[in-house]
Amino acid sequence: MSINQKVGFVFRQENCVGCGACTVACQIHNELPENHRFRKVDRYEVEREDGAIDVWLSHSCMHCENPACLMVCPAKAYHVRDDGIVVLDREKCTGCGLCATACPYSAVSIREDDGKADKCNMCVELLDRGMKPACVTGCPVQCIETGNIDEVLKKPSASKEGVGYGDCITKPNMVIIKERA
């Protein structure tokens, strides 16, 4: 398999206000049950010289280069597209839960309604039509985007490290931009 470009999420952590609109947009677009989310927003309190501030991390599947979910799935329900997006075929899922346990970012969960794994597929049905994922269009402060990860990482303010997020052995494809837009 050759990957022409690695598509991933680009997150401007400095801009996020933690409103959760991205999670709601995702939930509505994907018609998820009320208690099930692909995208989550976590709050971190960071100490600075002038006092503590809240820092937010909006995250979902990292579409890793070495996806742990794919490696442990006995049903071969996961595949990686040419653009690097990790997609789950829920029809093949047996509900064993190994993928949910293996994911270091807790991006895979088991749905209560059918007992099968589920995760963000970066709204590939929208991307394939030249549109943006629901979380991107749902963000009122434009802190989430998608892009070619290798190109984005050339920016001086880009990193695979941020508050609540870091690179690991699975090589996640999310980039943090450390400057306000």
Side-chain angles (χ1 to χ4, degrees):
M1 174 185 66
S2 72
I3 296 177
N4 298 330
Q5 67 170 354
K6 291 183 292 184
V7 175
F9 286 110
V10 180
F11 180 59
R12 289 187 175 273
Q13 195 162 35
E14 300 284 325
N15 287 18
C16 185
V17 296
C19 69
C22 54
T23 64
V24 174
C26 171
Q27 210 167 14
I28 291 170
H29 175 75
N30 290 293
E31 299 179 352
L32 299 175
E34 190 172 330
N35 62 348
H36 194 84
R37 290 189 167 87
F38 293 161
R39 180 161 289 279
K40 301 167 187 120
V41 179
D42 297 333
R43 183 183 72 85
Y44 295 88
E45 188 172 292
V46 175
E47 291 292 330
R48 298 190 326 187
E49 287 182 17
D50 57 345
I53 62 167
D54 289 337
V55 176
W56 306 92
L57 177 67
S58 174
H59 60 99
S60 64
C61 176
M62 303 295 179
H63 301 280
C64 301
E65 285 182 53
N66 300 319
C69 54
L70 181 146
M71 288 186 242
V72 301
C73 179
K76 302 192 181 322
Y78 290 88
H79 74 275
V80 180
R81 294 174 20 137
D82 287 345
D83 55 11
I85 298 173
V86 180
V87 176
L88 166 64
D89 181 347
R90 295 190 78 239
E91 294 298 319
K92 293 181 179 176
C93 178
T94 61
C96 70
L98 290 173
C99 54
T101 302
C103 177
Y105 299 101
S106 301
V108 180
S109 57
I110 305 298
R111 284 177 64 150
E112 288 180 14
D113 58 350
D114 65 7
K116 293 184 175 187
D118 211 359
K119 70 170 211 60
C120 161
N121 68 2
M122 204 181 279
C123 295
V124 291
E125 70 284 357
L126 297 177
L127 287 175
D128 290 345
R129 293 186 297 183
M131 301 168 74
K132 296 180 178 186
C135 59
V136 172
T137 57
C139 178
V141 293
Q142 302 172 340
C143 63
I144 306 172
E145 189 55 76
T146 57
N148 181 330
I149 295 304
D150 290 333
E151 289 298 316
V152 174
L153 281 171
K154 292 177 182 174
K155 293 181 177 181
S157 61
S159 171
K160 283 196 168 184
E161 303 287 332
V163 176
Y165 171 68
D167 205 355
C168 79
I169 194 168
T170 61
K171 296 186 175 179
N173 280 320
M174 183 170 92
V175 173
I176 303 280
I177 303 293
K178 297 180 178 182
E179 66 180 345
R180 281 193 182 266

